[in-house]
Amino acid sequence: PQYTRGTVTAFAPFDARADAEALRKAMKGMGTDEETVLTILTTRNNAQRQEIASAFKTLFGRDLVDDLKSELTGKFETLMVSLMRPAYIFDAHALKHAIKGAGTNEKVLTEILASRTPAEVQNIKQVYQQEYEADLEDKITGETSGHFQRLLVVLLQANRDPDVGVDEGLVEQDAQVLFRAGELKWGTDEEKFITILGTRSISHLRRVFDKYMTISGFQIEETIDRETSGDLEKLLLAVVKCIRSVPAYFAETLYYSMKGAGTDDDTLIRVMVSRSEVDLLDIRREFRKNFAKSLYQMIQKDTSGDYRKALLLLCGGDDD
């Protein structure tokens, strides 16, 4: 789909060779001119960054990403290198690193598989196979277990019903099934939650959530919170939140990546980069509405240096 709610759009007039030359000059010799690097990379879109990398290699016989890695350090380096990752491979790469080696990063699996559209998930699976010569579903099932694993597998099928009109009878039925599987049952029937939340259409589920509230007196999130725990709970909640509003889900994800002691920079970088050309304007609006401050202000308060400058440029403005 053509997303138009990003903060980063195609830069014009664009000259890949001029940008490549400016970047080479910024990194050549003693010391690096970080300002030039961050300004160019945050104001060109991903397709243009790929053209710059190609021009860089053509002109200098050097790999731009390798140069960035050797000249920059820390979170700023991570952010710049993330911006250079080709858009089509971004999610597949994040998943690959979430399931490699010791310990699985469930947070990344949850965030990506709960929020991407069925078409995006199909694409991720294809790219994963091409790039890593491995089956994403096999990799994920090898590293996860229980109901958490089953819901991930359901989401990986990318077979959610299309949005084509809502059958109120089925809405009522699903709401009742969820009520009986959760609040009314001693021990929860997680499978019912997995099937209904993982396969019904978005517009159908939004009606189911309203109906569930009417029947039970609870928001579905409250029931999930009480009746499930651990990774499954986090994934079910992420799925529900994304069905209600993907931008609101990411606003909350960004908020909690910065709230409290210490910042979860991996999440902050991943969300800012992956949504910058998709819906970051909508995320900013939801952030301002739900957290009594703007995303811009929170980044400003919570980060520093060139890393902060680059994130603020990606953010694209304040909302006060």
Side-chain angles (χ1 to χ4, degrees):
Q2 275 306 297
Y3 291 110
T4 55
R5 300 293 299 157
T7 52
V8 176
T9 52
F11 185 83
F14 174 61
D15 181 342
R17 289 197 158 207
D19 284 347
E21 282 167 356
L23 286 169
R24 175 70 185 127
K25 188 168 163 236
M27 294 190 282
K28 196 175 172 175
M30 291 293 291
T32 303
D33 168 11
E34 288 87 358
E35 191 92 20
T36 295
V37 174
L38 72 87
T39 304
I40 291 175
L41 297 187
T42 57
T43 55
R44 312 300 187 259
N45 70 11
N46 193 284
Q48 291 175 326
R49 290 178 211 128
Q50 305 315 319
E51 286 186 54
I52 295 169
S54 165
F56 196 87
K57 198 162 268 184
T58 298
L59 295 172
F60 310 114
R62 305 174 68 91
D63 186 286
L64 177 55
V65 173
D66 288 346
D67 279 10
L68 291 168
K69 285 178 173 169
S70 70
E71 294 298 322
L72 312 175
T73 57
K75 297 175 282 204
F76 180 55
E77 176 196 333
T78 307
L79 177 56
M80 293 300 108
V81 170
S82 297
L83 286 169
M84 289 307 303
R85 195 156 287 126
Y88 80 92
I89 199 182
F90 196 91
D91 287 342
H93 180 273
L95 289 168
K96 165 94 170 143
H97 285 265
I99 46 188
K100 92 176 212 213
T104 306
N105 188 337
E106 292 83 6
K107 180 185 276 185
V108 176
L109 300 187
T110 294
E111 179 196 300
I112 292 177
L113 293 175
S115 65
R116 302 314 192 245
T117 65
E120 286 167 339
V121 173
Q122 292 292 10
N123 184 52
I124 291 167
K125 290 195 294 190
Q126 280 170 333
V127 170
Y128 198 95
Q129 185 68 57
Q130 284 157 8
E131 294 292 318
Y132 305 119
E133 294 177 353
D135 182 79
L136 177 58
E137 190 182 314
D138 288 348
K139 288 287 178 200
I140 286 178
T141 51
E143 296 295 330
T144 56
S145 61
H147 296 295
F148 175 63
Q149 178 200 81
R150 289 185 198 127
L151 179 49
L152 288 172
V153 170
V154 168
L155 296 171
L156 277 167
Q157 303 319 297
N159 277 332
R160 191 177 287 289
D161 297 337
D163 270 312
V164 284
V166 174
D167 173 346
E168 286 302 328
L170 190 58
V171 165
E172 173 82 39
Q173 190 186 317
D174 277 353
Q176 291 286 356
V177 167
L178 289 172
F179 184 46
R180 289 197 296 272
E183 294 291 342
L184 286 188
K185 196 176 161 68
W186 188 78
T188 310
D189 184 352
E190 291 92 351
E191 200 154 276
K192 297 281 195 296
F193 279 82
I194 288 168
T195 302
I196 291 173
L197 294 178
T199 63
R200 304 287 198 258
S201 78
I202 301 288
S203 47
H204 171 85
L205 284 167
R206 286 176 183 163
R207 292 286 304 117
V208 169
F209 299 162
D210 292 343
K211 182 64 79 176
Y212 185 87
M213 180 76 191
T214 309
I215 294 169
S216 70
F218 296 112
Q219 294 286 12
I220 188 95
E221 290 92 332
E222 297 176 77
T223 295
I224 291 168
D225 197 29
R226 260 203 311 280
E227 303 290 329
T228 62
S229 63
D231 293 324
L232 175 67
E233 178 191 341
K234 294 190 185 101
L235 181 55
L236 284 168
L237 286 173
V239 169
V240 167
K241 285 167 182 174
C242 287
I243 286 158
R244 290 196 191 273
S245 162
V246 168
Y249 168 72
F250 279 117
E252 187 180 321
T253 302
L254 286 168
Y255 179 74
Y256 285 106
S257 76
M258 292 181 278
K259 187 186 182 303
T263 301
D264 175 358
D265 292 292
D266 287 340
T267 297
L268 178 54
I269 290 169
R270 190 173 55 252
V271 175
M272 291 297 288
V273 172
S274 67
R275 308 314 286 186
S276 60
E277 293 179 45
V278 180
D279 55 0
L280 195 48
L281 290 170
D282 296 327
I283 292 167
R284 271 171 44 185
R285 199 180 58 228
E286 291 291 333
F287 196 103
R288 186 69 192 83
K289 196 172 86 193
N290 298 332
F291 300 111
K293 58 170 79 105
S294 69
L295 176 59
Y296 193 92
Q297 287 158 358
M298 195 151 183
I299 291 170
Q300 204 158 29
K301 189 175 113 317
D302 218 78
T303 58
S304 62
D306 295 314
Y307 177 55
R308 174 203 276 164
K309 280 182 197 162
L311 285 172
L312 291 176
L313 280 170
L314 281 181
C315 183
D318 202 342
D319 297 290
D320 252 16

